[in-house]
Amino acid sequence: MKIKVNIEETVVQGFDVDIPDSIDPYDYIAEEYYKGNIVLESGECQFRQMEIHFREDDTWTEWTEF
């Protein structure tokens, strides 16, 4: 049986960051994240789910938490 599985995880990791008062913290953190300056390691997984694609009949399962 040929299948494709998609797995989604929600990982949580805390960071201590010094931000100047004049800068919006949401914009600053997003910018630092996209620059690669804030990187999540394999932290604490809070949630995981999967969906399976059955290739033979091109059907998908619902997302299922595991």
Side-chain angles (χ1 to χ4, degrees):
M1 171 183 347
K2 286 273 195 188
I3 67 167
K4 177 181 178 182
V5 62
N6 292 325
I7 297 176
E8 178 181 89
E9 295 179 327
T10 301
V11 177
V12 175
Q13 181 176 349
F15 297 90
D16 292 321
V17 181
D18 292 322
I19 301 174
D21 292 336
S22 61
I23 296 178
D24 179 272
Y26 291 99
D27 292 339
Y28 182 84
I29 296 300
E31 186 176 318
E32 291 298 299
Y33 176 85
Y34 287 117
K35 285 182 186 175
N37 295 330
I38 296 176
V39 178
L40 278 80
E41 302 298 326
S42 55
E44 183 179 336
C45 184
Q46 298 290 309
F47 178 79
R48 71 186 64 78
Q49 63 181 358
M50 74 170 106
E51 68 176 354
I52 297 173
H53 178 204
F54 295 97
R55 295 188 179 261
E56 292 173 358
D57 61 1
D58 196 31
T59 59
W60 290 86
T61 65
E62 296 292 324
W63 282 98
T64 304
E65 186 175 353
F66 69 99

